[in-house]
Amino acid sequence: MFYLTCNIIKINISSRIRIMSNTEQKLHMHIFKYGLSLIISFLIIVAGCTVPGSGQKSSRIKFSIQNTLPIERKNVPIVLTIDQLQNVSPDITLNALVVVTGKERRETMIPAQADDINYDGERDQLVFLINLAAEEKKEISILYKPNVKATVTLDVNKQTRAGIFPKLHAVAALESDLLAYVLKPNGAVVAYGKKREHLFTVDKMFQNELDNNAPFSPEFRLHFETYNINLTQRPQALIIDIEKPEHRWVIRDLENQEDFYVRKSDEQLNIYKSIGLSLNALLPKQDNPKHDNNVEDTTMVVLTPHVDRIGCGGFALWHKTEQRLIPIPNEGDYVRVLANGSIRSIVQRILPNWNVGGETFQLTYTTYIYGSNPWLEHYIHVDRQLPPDYAIVVGIPKLKETFGVDEDKGLLWSWGTDPNETDSLGMALIYPTAQTSGPVDTDPSLITITLHPDDAGRLGYRSLAIWNGGINGIETQAEFKQYLQKMMTTMENVPRITFIPLEEGQ
């Protein structure tokens, strides 16, 4: 769904129109002008004003989100179900709303998305990403119109994608702006890194402007303009995030919806850009309309050294007595994309007749990916308990340098380099310790562990790859372990959400 300010919408629309032919421009300009008038009217309504003749104001749900940890947290997914929201306001639907933060009349909109998770035709989950400083509490409001039937959708700054690509010989594929994952028919998952695009290099004399988050000097801006990059002139719309002090920064141009990544090397600052959503780069050349057949595509790099089974976070069936790995079959399965949105994408695969030891089960496998995050969330549901001789097995590849299993924390990890031995690479899998019977030796090239669905037949885990050839890379094993420790800590301490009663007149 669409939830951004009008000035950003205009920028986004104009940028799309410029790449169209003249005929397409006229048609799309008419469509966008009509759509934009609806969007602006909707924004006027939800902002608390009234459209002439309507006499109706928007409704509001107010709540706080608190980071209970003494560490900063970025791009945290916040998911609210329709049941949670209707317990507060029974008339709310997820058809027409905006999510905002800040004081009333000076509120800032947060990009958000509403999804139909149970596939019944009604949106039932609201999701958005939020940054939280150490122990910070933010007040959030949902402004909504309860009686609106139609929905206004406009992808703005899309950060995820999911789709079914038969030419990839895969069940489906998902990607965030950081990494891509291809789901194979046998249950394996293949990870792909996205090479960062080098734009230009400047002297380190400009580092002070990055460290102090100060307005950029004309000299620094000139380097961007030389490469046809016109940064916003609004100081409040140009934000500098320090990813690693003295070494890495992110320049976020909120008005133009562009991020630039800065890495320090020797006496220079290298400016990079993400290649963004790029699953099409994996398609055969003749099936990719954007591909120049005379140029080799090197933007996507396979990170999984062994793709025939398990891969990075994939799963299979394990026969305990025979010590045998059984790939997931694909006969009779069906796949659906539950969400293909700006904030997150979801793919669900269902095997209604899964043969396990001569018995028939229904297997449902659902995979989530979130924008600006490198990990996948996996959820497995079996309609009843598996026979005693069987378990689910999950894992990651053994990279060349080192690997380990921490059974107390529920962690598999591996560190080394990509298959081309070009850039450092880390892979990990975080699993529920209460649902495992321990590691198993399924293949010399894999680290694998058996997992058992709970009494309701459910099982969830998280897998990830971190590649230093992309925009979010990690250089050393020590940094990788710190990253994993922080991730596990944040998973155990989700932000605290508290609904706030509205004062009279709100």
Side-chain angles (χ1 to χ4, degrees):
M1 289 186 67
F2 155 76
Y3 313 102
L4 275 233
T5 56
C6 293
N7 61 321
I8 293 181
I9 294 170
K10 291 177 182 176
I11 293 168
N12 185 65
I13 289 174
S14 63
S15 67
R16 291 190 179 190
I17 292 173
R18 279 196 294 270
I19 64 174
M20 298 175 184
S21 66
N22 291 336
T23 303
E24 289 175 320
Q25 285 185 20
K26 292 178 182 179
L27 174 62
H28 282 79
M29 180 66 77
H30 173 75
I31 295 171
F32 280 133
K33 282 182 178 179
Y34 176 73
L36 185 58
S37 66
L38 293 177
I39 292 167
I40 293 173
S41 298
F42 173 69
L43 287 174
I44 292 172
I45 294 174
V46 298
C49 304
T50 59
V51 173
S54 69
Q56 295 182 351
K57 295 185 69 174
S58 61
S59 301
R60 179 186 293 262
I61 293 178
K62 195 173 183 180
F63 55 96
S64 66
I65 301 176
Q66 182 178 4
N67 179 10
T68 60
L69 296 172
I71 56 175
E72 180 185 34
R73 306 170 72 167
K74 292 185 177 180
N75 300 307
V76 182
I78 302 296
V79 180
L80 297 169
T81 68
I82 189 64
D83 291 339
Q84 285 176 287
L85 298 175
Q86 288 182 342
N87 283 338
V88 179
S89 294
D91 65 347
I92 188 174
T93 67
L94 301 183
N95 290 333
L97 57 84
V98 292
V99 179
V100 298
T101 185
K103 296 182 179 180
E104 290 188 43
R105 302 186 182 280
R106 296 184 62 85
E107 293 172 321
T108 302
M109 293 187 184
I110 300 174
Q113 175 182 327
D115 297 324
D116 174 15
I117 299 300
N118 61 8
Y119 217 62
D120 67 350
E122 297 289 336
R123 291 176 170 87
D124 46 42
Q125 281 192 6
L126 178 68
V127 59
F128 55 92
L129 303 176
I130 192 169
N131 295 332
L132 294 166
E135 299 181 337
E136 180 184 12
K137 179 189 285 188
K138 282 186 177 179
E139 287 196 358
I140 309 292
S141 289
I142 301 172
L143 309 179
Y144 68 94
K145 296 298 295 180
N147 299 319
V148 175
K149 299 296 184 183
T151 59
V152 178
T153 60
L154 181 64
D155 285 331
V156 178
N157 195 24
K158 187 171 172 62
Q159 295 179 298
T160 74
R161 183 186 177 195
I164 299 171
F165 301 90
K167 293 294 179 69
L168 294 181
H169 305 290
V171 170
L174 305 93
E175 65 174 331
S176 72
D177 45 340
L178 303 183
L179 285 131
Y181 296 92
V182 174
L183 312 182
K184 292 293 187 177
N186 66 353
V189 176
V190 182
Y192 285 85
K194 301 184 176 188
K195 273 194 173 181
R196 56 184 182 268
E197 178 186 350
H198 182 258
L199 299 177
F200 57 89
T201 298
V202 299
D203 191 271
K204 73 170 185 177
M205 62 180 286
F206 297 107
Q207 180 179 331
N208 187 58
E209 299 182 33
L210 299 172
D211 288 334
N212 297 327
N213 204 357
F216 284 180
S217 64
E219 292 79 10
F220 197 13
R221 284 182 171 273
L222 181 60
H223 285 284
F224 286 86
E225 293 166 2
T226 301
Y227 291 88
N228 298 317
I229 300 170
N230 296 308
L231 297 174
T232 176
Q233 297 293 331
R234 297 165 57 193
Q236 69 274 20
L238 195 64
I239 307 299
I240 310 300
D241 287 342
I242 301 176
E243 286 200 332
K244 185 179 179 181
E246 299 292 322
H247 288 89
R248 294 188 185 183
W249 304 261
V250 182
I251 302 170
R252 303 194 186 279
D253 186 337
L254 303 183
E255 183 173 2
N256 294 309
Q257 299 183 60
E258 289 189 300
D259 294 338
F260 302 94
Y261 300 83
V262 185
R263 289 191 175 200
K264 185 177 179 180
S265 174
D266 297 325
E267 301 299 309
Q268 297 178 322
L269 300 177
N270 298 304
I271 316 298
Y272 299 92
K273 187 176 180 180
S274 168
I275 65 170
L277 301 182
S278 45
L279 279 176
N280 281 359
L282 299 178
L283 295 173
K285 294 180 181 180
Q286 65 271 20
D287 297 305
N288 184 357
K290 295 183 180 181
H291 195 281
D292 183 347
N293 288 330
N294 297 316
V295 178
E296 181 184 3
D297 181 67
T298 58
T299 58
M300 300 283 275
V301 177
V302 63
L303 303 180
T304 311
H306 301 280
V307 300
D308 55 338
R309 58 172 107 187
I310 300 294
C312 181
F315 73 109
L317 188 65
W318 179 248
H319 194 293
K320 300 176 187 178
T321 303
E322 299 178 3
Q323 296 286 288
R324 181 166 56 94
L325 193 69
I326 306 171
I328 303 301
N330 67 326
E331 295 82 6
D333 69 342
Y334 59 95
V335 182
R336 54 197 187 190
V337 176
L338 296 183
N340 178 24
S342 300
I343 308 301
R344 74 173 175 186
S345 289
I346 309 169
V347 169
Q348 187 171 78
R349 179 186 182 189
I350 300 175
L351 283 84
N353 298 296
W354 185 31
N355 188 314
V356 180
E359 299 182 48
T360 300
F361 296 81
Q362 176 168 302
L363 170 69
T364 303
Y365 172 56
T366 311
T367 315
Y368 293 66
I369 195 165
Y370 291 86
S372 297
N373 284 285
W375 38 265
L376 285 181
E377 283 184 350
H378 310 255
Y379 294 95
I380 293 172
H381 179 228
V382 184
D383 60 349
R384 65 186 191 278
Q385 290 293 312
L386 292 173
D389 270 349
Y390 293 89
I392 302 293
V393 64
V394 301
I396 57 174
K398 287 180 183 175
L399 302 177
K400 287 188 177 181
E401 288 191 22
T402 185
F403 58 89
V405 179
D406 190 329
E407 294 187 63
D408 293 331
K409 295 180 178 178
L411 172 67
L412 311 179
W413 65 273
S414 186
W415 176 260
T417 58
D418 59 47
N420 296 325
E421 298 188 357
T422 303
D423 292 286
S424 57
L425 171 66
M427 292 188 178
L429 187 145
I430 301 170
Y431 62 89
T433 57
Q435 292 179 250
T436 180
S437 53
V440 290
D441 186 10
T442 61
D443 187 295
S445 65
L446 297 170
I447 314 166
T448 49
I449 195 161
T450 54
L451 297 176
H452 303 274
D454 62 16
D455 292 342
R458 300 187 184 279
L459 170 66
Y461 61 96
R462 178 182 291 190
S463 64
L464 70 139
I466 298 284
W467 182 55
N468 200 42
I471 60 173
N472 70 322
I474 290 178
E475 296 176 349
T476 68
Q477 180 181 322
E479 290 178 319
F480 182 56
K481 287 187 174 182
Q482 291 174 0
Y483 178 90
L484 294 177
Q485 181 58 56
K486 181 178 179 180
M487 174 177 286
M488 288 186 291
T489 300
T490 57
M491 289 175 67
E492 294 169 358
N493 298 271
V494 298
R496 181 182 299 150
I497 298 176
T498 305
F499 289 96
I500 302 171
L502 296 179
E503 298 176 3
E504 187 174 349
Q506 285 189 309

